[in-house]
Amino acid sequence: MANSDKKTLESMINELLPNYNCGACGFKRCDLFTESVLLGDDIKKCPFLLKDDFKSNFEELTDLLNQNKDLITENIKKSETKVQGCCSTDKELTGLIDGYEADFLLDPLRDEHSCRETLLITSPLAKDLKIGDYIQYRPLACPLPHFAKIIDISHGMHVIHIEGPCHRVTGEKKDYVNVGVALIMAFEGIVSKGKMPEVGKTVKFIPTHCMMQKVHSGVVVEAEGNRVLIEGIDLKVW
């Protein structure tokens, strides 16, 4: 497959994917899933493509892949990379939106499905929230609404797990309390790729559940093994 042909096909596939970066397909980002599709992976691994909202995208992708069977077959033959390993690439450390290089990826703690976020919710509704409640909020400086479950409340701060957008795949009906804009005070998770940071250092990282796959910055205040707590969160990277 000529590099130009592969690049064009890769761009076309990626544009037709939902680009939610939800991880439901088994890849942390849609562009990484695209690379896997170019190596013969099944587009049906993306559950959103099987929904009515993306019916036309699914049909267009199916036609596109059928038209390029020879190119994909050639690419598979030439590639020494297994499909399962195609997501293990330095591309993961590059912010999808801004192109900045992160120091590491931040994965969820063991047996958890997203990194822990600590929120400062300024809405008057905050006083009525309880552990187990579901909320909708928008982090300050982020254009996307987030959907989350409160897992702890301490000293006026709410610790949450991100729940969206995968709840849209399962069809679960949950009542989300819209608390408006919230400040992200901290992230807690596991360093999965990149260099383990030192306490007190300012770092650049990508939370693997972040739909925008944007590089965040903050200061490491705790580090034990590969588990870190990062405070002073900022979406600006200097």
Side-chain angles (χ1 to χ4, degrees):
M1 180 186 294
N3 288 337
S4 58
D5 291 338
K6 179 183 176 182
K7 188 66 176 177
T8 300
L9 182 57
E10 183 176 350
S11 299
M12 293 171 71
I13 293 171
N14 204 50
E15 287 175 5
L16 289 168
L17 291 175
N19 282 290
Y20 288 154
N21 299 313
C22 66
C25 63
F27 294 84
K28 294 174 181 176
R29 293 169 28 168
C30 290
D31 60 336
L32 299 175
F33 179 51
T34 295
E35 293 180 358
S36 179
V37 171
L38 286 171
L39 290 170
D41 215 347
D42 189 352
I43 58 169
K44 291 181 181 178
K45 284 187 177 181
C46 172
F48 286 103
L49 289 176
L50 305 180
K51 297 289 183 179
D52 288 341
D53 290 350
F54 290 97
K55 182 179 179 181
S56 59
N57 295 56
F58 177 77
E59 292 173 349
E60 194 170 342
L61 271 168
T62 300
D63 290 341
L64 180 64
L65 295 174
N66 284 334
Q67 293 168 12
N68 290 275
K69 278 184 178 179
D70 292 342
L71 290 176
I72 293 174
T73 299
E74 181 184 349
N75 187 46
I76 294 171
K77 288 179 178 179
K78 290 183 178 180
S79 176
E80 296 179 356
T81 305
K82 294 182 180 179
V83 172
Q84 292 88 342
C86 73
C87 61
S88 299
T89 168
D90 288 340
K91 192 173 184 179
E92 288 183 88
L93 291 174
T94 303
L96 191 61
I97 298 298
D98 44 35
Y100 290 126
E101 293 296 320
D103 298 317
F104 57 86
L105 301 181
L106 192 67
D107 271 358
L109 299 177
R110 184 176 180 180
D111 298 326
E112 299 187 4
H113 61 271
S114 76
C115 300
R116 294 186 176 193
E117 294 184 27
T118 300
L119 304 180
L120 175 60
I121 300 173
T122 59
S123 168
L125 297 172
K127 62 182 176 59
D128 298 320
L129 295 174
K130 307 179 298 298
I131 294 175
D133 284 348
Y134 291 89
I135 62 172
Q136 176 182 339
Y137 68 99
R138 183 177 66 79
L140 185 67
C142 179
L144 298 180
H146 288 48
F147 300 88
K149 179 180 181 180
I150 298 173
I151 61 171
D152 194 16
I153 301 174
S154 178
H155 302 292
M157 301 286 187
H158 294 77
V159 182
I160 58 94
H161 277 153
I162 295 295
E163 295 292 329
C166 289
H167 65 282
R168 291 172 54 189
V169 178
T170 62
E172 293 179 76
K173 302 295 183 183
K174 297 174 182 175
D175 293 325
Y176 289 90
V177 179
N178 192 336
V179 297
V181 175
L183 297 173
I184 301 180
M185 308 304 292
F187 276 94
E188 186 174 8
I190 298 294
V191 174
S192 64
K193 185 181 179 70
K195 184 179 179 181
M196 184 67 191
E198 299 177 20
V199 172
K201 295 289 187 180
T202 299
V203 293
K204 296 178 289 184
F205 66 99
I206 301 176
T208 53
H209 67 259
C210 176
M211 290 169 59
M212 295 178 67
Q213 287 293 281
K214 193 177 191 313
V215 176
H216 297 53
S217 64
V219 178
V220 178
V221 295
E222 292 181 17
E224 182 178 353
N226 59 352
R227 178 172 179 163
V228 293
L229 176 64
I230 307 167
E231 295 181 348
I233 306 302
D234 202 336
L235 291 182
K236 299 189 296 296
V237 179
W238 304 99

